[in-house]
Amino acid sequence: LNVTGTSTIQGLSATYINDTGNITLGDAQGDRIHINSGLTLYQNQSTSTIVNNLVNAFSIATSSDVTSLFSIDTTQNGRIGIGTQIPQAKLEIVSTQGGGITRDNLYLSNLANATSTGARLSFRASDDNGQTLPTTTAAITGILNQNFSNATGSLIFSTLQSGTQLTEVMRLTGLGFVGIGLTNPQVALDISGNLRTTSSSTFATLINVNGINSTSTFAGGLVVTSGSIYEQGQRVCSSTNGACNSSSQT
């Protein structure tokens, strides 16, 4: 089709192609383009403009009478909805699976075929040092510890302590062990460093303090309701009917 001026396609209201290559299709709400097969290609740098300050300004759906699979809301400086036409955040993913079934709404994948691969979700913020890119302040990493049939996974929590490199501060292993300051916790809660509680704490099992010059301070006192207190393998105190009776002193 050669156009030297403006060509109007008869039967379509206000549909024309001008001599600069611009195409206008329709002037009424509901006008549309049908592409039966093939691709829509942008050969060079291009920008597609949609209406500003409008809920569901642009959407992709399987038909005109179903909820959009993908929607752009141009209010609130732009929001994207997947499975919803009214996203309430910069990105909202919605599923409607019922019956107590948990559906995966988002995958972060690392498909490298190796042990100890992981995918990371990072949090960033801008600072005042004139950097072009924002600073990564924290991250959560899901890591594959072993491959194939013996696969185990861990969650790693990292924070920015100084400079630009993140430091691992806590790990949740596949066995459910939590390590604070440790990368290989051996018990349900394994801490490298000090533990502080500011209110009453109940320990139903043994309190074990290990290490050279290790100390435990109980500012509000220590009440033994059952069991005994040991120091260096020697019983220091035992409980009888809620009273602590010293059986030896060291």
Side-chain angles (χ1 to χ4, degrees), residues 187-198:
V187 292
L189 178 60
D190 209 343
I191 300 174
S192 175
N194 297 325
L195 171 65
R196 179 184 180 185
T197 62
T198 57

Side-chain angles (χ1 to χ4, degrees), residues 234-237 245-250:
Q234 299 295 319
R235 186 171 63 180
V236 175
C237 187
N245 300 317
S246 177
S247 57
S248 63
Q249 299 292 332
T250 58

Side-chain angles (χ1 to χ4, degrees), residues 24-206:
T24 298
L25 298 177
D27 61 356
Q29 184 177 1
D31 293 329
R32 64 191 66 181
I33 300 174
H34 287 281
I35 301 176
N36 292 324
S37 63
L39 299 174
T40 301
L41 301 178
Y42 293 90
Q43 298 292 346
N44 298 304
Q45 184 178 10
S46 303
T47 299
S48 296
T49 303
I50 57 179
V51 179
N52 188 31
N53 199 31
L54 183 66
V55 176
N56 197 29
F58 175 83
S59 63
I60 297 175
T62 56
S63 67
S64 60
D65 59 350
V66 300
T67 301
S68 301
L69 302 176
F70 174 87
S71 176
I72 298 178
D73 179 344
T74 54
T75 65
Q76 303 293 323
N77 295 319
R79 296 180 290 195
I80 294 176
I82 299 177
T84 177
Q85 295 178 345
I86 49 172
Q88 301 301 302
K90 284 294 185 182
L91 173 63
E92 182 176 1
I93 303 173
V94 175
S95 66
T96 56
Q97 186 71 44
I101 299 174
T102 300
R103 170 176 288 181
D104 294 323
N105 281 351
L106 179 65
Y107 282 118
L108 301 178
S109 301
N110 182 345
L111 302 181
N113 187 19
T115 303
S116 297
T117 56
R120 188 168 84 173
L121 175 63
S122 297
F123 303 88
R124 309 175 79 187
S126 182
D127 51 31
D128 296 328
N129 64 0
Q131 296 292 326
T132 303
L133 296 176
T135 300
T136 301
T137 59
I140 302 174
T141 305
I143 188 170
L144 177 67
N145 300 317
Q146 293 176 249
N147 280 338
F148 312 116
S149 60
N150 294 322
T152 61
S154 298
L155 274 180
I156 297 174
F157 298 82
S158 305
T159 60
L160 181 66
Q161 299 183 10
S162 63
T164 59
Q165 298 297 318
L166 297 183
T167 300
E168 179 179 338
V169 293
M170 186 173 71
R171 180 177 296 221
L172 173 63
T173 70
L175 295 175
F177 295 164
V178 175
I180 300 178
L182 296 168
T183 60
N184 188 27
Q186 300 299 305
V187 292
L189 178 60
D190 209 343
I191 300 174
S192 175
N194 297 325
L195 171 65
R196 179 184 180 185
T197 62
T198 57
S199 59
S200 298
S201 300
T202 301
F203 299 90
T205 57
L206 179 67

